[in-house]
Amino acid sequence: MICENHTQVTEFILHGFTNKPEMQHSLFVLFLVIYTVTLLGNFLIVTVTIVDPALQTPMYFFLRNLSLLEICFTLVMVPKMLVDLVSPRKSISFVGCGTQMYFFFFFGSSECFLLSMMAYDRFVAICNPLRYSVIMNRSLCLWMAVGSWMSGVPVSMLQTAWLMAHPFCGPSTIDHFFCDGPPVLKLVTEDTTIYEMQALASTLLFIMFPFSLILVSYTRIIKTILMMPSATGRQKAFSTCSSHLIVVSLFYGTASLTYLRPKSKQSPESKKLVSLSYTVITPMLNPIIYSLRNNEVKGAVKRTFTRKVLQKLGVL
């Protein structure tokens, strides 16, 4: 079907998280609080891993990159969602929709690979502790971080450009609170079988491939931990991985429910709830998980705030 010029879609209407007016202001306050906590928590992680000398290791270098990714990821989604909760008309331009979709794919794919790089770092630290500083040198860590960030470019460019090149003749209402691929694809007015096959292949590649690397790393890690003669050593080794394992479970669990679950088993409401978990909730939980379960991070936070207080008092 070819759209006439006067029927070409130039903007989309986002259905939003809920169509109940009495809930929207309450949700606005709730999500604003969550977003504030997310920004403060992740900025705190970035700050302490930069300024504290005890956290100048590969593990915290990757953690800093994860927090930066979470800040960027939520910046793409949450401000627009907050505005829509208090706006009578929840519109987004065609270009704005494509831009939001591009950065959503970009940061999501980058996070998949960054989590696998963090798993490899833990693998080297536990399975090759004597060679850790040699293997995980500054140059390798930098290239691993750059590679993780840039890994999102191919899938985001391909899927966004290809999807937005399809004809959209109306209706123009997206049954979601942001421009995700599947709900936008429903508005396309021509056969999308080839695109859906490509999108599935990309999803399997950019979700399952890094997840497979994580599984391999942790299989080796668990074998090494079980072979340790000391119970204290086993506990210490496991504690260095527990925070990352929780974050991986949250991220991949929700992503799999969204993109690898059969369409017949998905309702728009359930998809919104799952999407809400990895766009809003998980980025807030990540710094909390790493802060509460990591004594080094807690110590660095205390030292940073103590230093700031002493500087204000003129002691330092």
mmCIF file of all heavy atoms in Angstrom, residues 55 107 109 127 135 158 227:
data_model
loop_
_atom_site.group_PDB
_atom_site.id
_atom_site.type_symbol
_atom_site.label_atom_id
_atom_site.label_comp_id
_atom_site.label_asym_id
_atom_site.label_seq_id
_atom_site.Cartn_x
_atom_site.Cartn_y
_atom_site.Cartn_z
ATOM 1 N N LEU A 55 39.038 2.490 44.272
ATOM 2 C CA LEU A 55 38.141 1.938 43.252
ATOM 3 C C LEU A 55 38.696 2.100 41.836
ATOM 4 O O LEU A 55 37.943 2.049 40.865
ATOM 5 C CB LEU A 55 36.761 2.608 43.343
ATOM 6 C CG LEU A 55 36.036 2.495 44.686
ATOM 7 C CD1 LEU A 55 34.632 3.068 44.581
ATOM 8 C CD2 LEU A 55 35.978 1.050 45.172
ATOM 9 N N PHE A 107 21.403 1.865 23.403
ATOM 10 C CA PHE A 107 21.818 1.688 24.793
ATOM 11 C C PHE A 107 21.477 0.293 25.313
ATOM 12 O O PHE A 107 22.217 -0.271 26.125
ATOM 13 C CB PHE A 107 21.192 2.764 25.678
ATOM 14 C CG PHE A 107 21.721 4.143 25.409
ATOM 15 C CD1 PHE A 107 20.859 5.181 25.070
ATOM 16 C CD2 PHE A 107 23.079 4.410 25.482
ATOM 17 C CE1 PHE A 107 21.349 6.453 24.808
ATOM 18 C CE2 PHE A 107 23.569 5.683 25.222
ATOM 19 C CZ PHE A 107 22.710 6.707 24.884
ATOM 20 N N SER A 109 21.389 -2.570 23.516
ATOM 21 C CA SER A 109 22.373 -3.507 22.971
ATOM 22 C C SER A 109 23.730 -3.313 23.624
ATOM 23 O O SER A 109 24.440 -4.283 23.930
ATOM 24 C CB SER A 109 22.494 -3.313 21.447
ATOM 25 O OG SER A 109 21.262 -3.526 20.806
ATOM 26 N N CYS A 127 39.414 -16.898 38.269
ATOM 27 C CA CYS A 127 40.059 -18.075 37.685
ATOM 28 C C CYS A 127 41.543 -17.865 37.376
ATOM 29 O O CYS A 127 42.295 -18.841 37.265
ATOM 30 C CB CYS A 127 39.320 -18.495 36.409
ATOM 31 S SG CYS A 127 37.589 -18.921 36.679
ATOM 32 N N ILE A 135 46.406 -9.387 32.463
ATOM 33 C CA ILE A 135 45.372 -9.598 31.439
ATOM 34 C C ILE A 135 44.443 -8.390 31.333
ATOM 35 O O ILE A 135 44.224 -7.850 30.251
ATOM 36 C CB ILE A 135 44.565 -10.870 31.751
ATOM 37 C CG1 ILE A 135 45.464 -12.102 31.706
ATOM 38 C CG2 ILE A 135 43.414 -11.030 30.755
ATOM 39 C CD1 ILE A 135 44.784 -13.385 32.146
ATOM 40 N N LEU A 158 20.307 -0.279 11.802
ATOM 41 C CA LEU A 158 19.601 -1.154 10.867
ATOM 42 C C LEU A 158 18.118 -1.241 11.197
ATOM 43 O O LEU A 158 17.261 -1.002 10.336
ATOM 44 C CB LEU A 158 20.235 -2.553 10.883
ATOM 45 C CG LEU A 158 19.529 -3.617 10.032
ATOM 46 C CD1 LEU A 158 19.564 -3.222 8.573
ATOM 47 C CD2 LEU A 158 20.181 -4.986 10.238
ATOM 48 N N MET A 227 36.088 -25.579 43.791
ATOM 49 C CA MET A 227 37.360 -26.261 44.004
ATOM 50 C C MET A 227 38.221 -25.580 45.064
ATOM 51 O O MET A 227 39.264 -26.108 45.449
ATOM 52 C CB MET A 227 38.137 -26.342 42.688
ATOM 53 C CG MET A 227 37.485 -27.251 41.648
ATOM 54 S SD MET A 227 38.317 -27.166 40.044
ATOM 55 C CE MET A 227 39.948 -27.774 40.473
#
